[in-house]
Every structure is written in C-alpha cells, then in structure tokens.
Amino acid sequence: QVQLVESGGGLVQPGGSLTLSCAASGRIFRIYAMGWYRQAPGKQRDLVATITSGGITNYADSVKGRFTISRDNAQNTVSLQMNSLKPEDTAVYYCNADLLTMSPTIRYPYWGQGTQVTVSS
C-alpha cells in the first residue's frame, strides 16, 4: 500500500558528488520525519540524516558539512546531496519515512529497497 523508491546511487570517485532521491507513494495520509540510513557490509544500519516535516534536520557527525538533506512535502520526496565523498561513505543507502497511512490509519516507519553508493578510484 505504501512504497518508497530510491534512485541516484552509483559509483563515484573520492571527492565526487552524488544526489540520492526517494519518493513515497500509496495510501499516505501524512508523513512525519523522513531520513536516510546506510549499511556497509558486515556493519549495522546507521543514521545518516533526518528531516522533519517542518524542515528541522539532523546529521551524523561523519557527514556534517558534506551531506545535505531536503524534502518536498507536496511531492512526498526526500533527497540527499552528498559532496566530498570518501571511500568510507560506501554503503547501501536506505530511505525511511515515518508516516500515517489511510484506511487503516496506522503510523509506521517504512523503508525503501536501498541503493548502492560506491566511492572508489
């Protein structure tokens, strides 16, 4: 009933940039916070950045000053602009949305399928 679809991953050289996008669709009544998480091989899934419906942002220390999260509430989309990428940024990036569905009315965190980001020369 609800889908989060990510796009924009790929291979980039160290120091390069990528922009990830995520679109939420389906029987959505309201979206609260949206965010990006990442998971490197053999590691747990970690928070990268989140943004509330009012535009308040939060970033992991490792990406502050390099990544920028933004959202379009009218389009139910969230984006992550990633600059000055490092090899340690290599991971699968997942979109997350804390949202309220319609009929039934349920608040639940939804996840996208993930998109690979590889930073390598």
Side-chain angles (χ1 to χ4, degrees), residues 12-86:
V12 64
Q13 291 187 339
S17 298
L18 276 177
T19 300
L20 305 182
S21 297
C22 172
S25 62
R27 300 180 64 80
I28 298 170
F29 180 75
R30 179 178 178 180
I31 302 179
Y32 299 94
M34 301 185 81
W36 292 92
Y37 293 72
R38 65 187 181 187
Q39 187 168 19
K43 295 188 177 181
Q44 66 180 20
R45 189 174 298 186
D46 292 326
L47 178 146
V48 176
T50 60
I51 184 168
T52 68
S53 57
I56 297 172
T57 59
N58 179 51
Y59 295 92
D61 288 342
S62 60
V63 307
K64 283 180 181 177
R66 300 188 298 122
F67 290 10
T68 302
I69 189 170
S70 60
R71 67 186 281 178
D72 183 329
N73 291 330
Q75 298 294 324
N76 288 341
T77 59
V78 62
S79 297
L80 185 70
Q81 173 67 44
M82 304 185 293
N83 298 325
S84 302
L85 282 161
K86 304 175 181 180

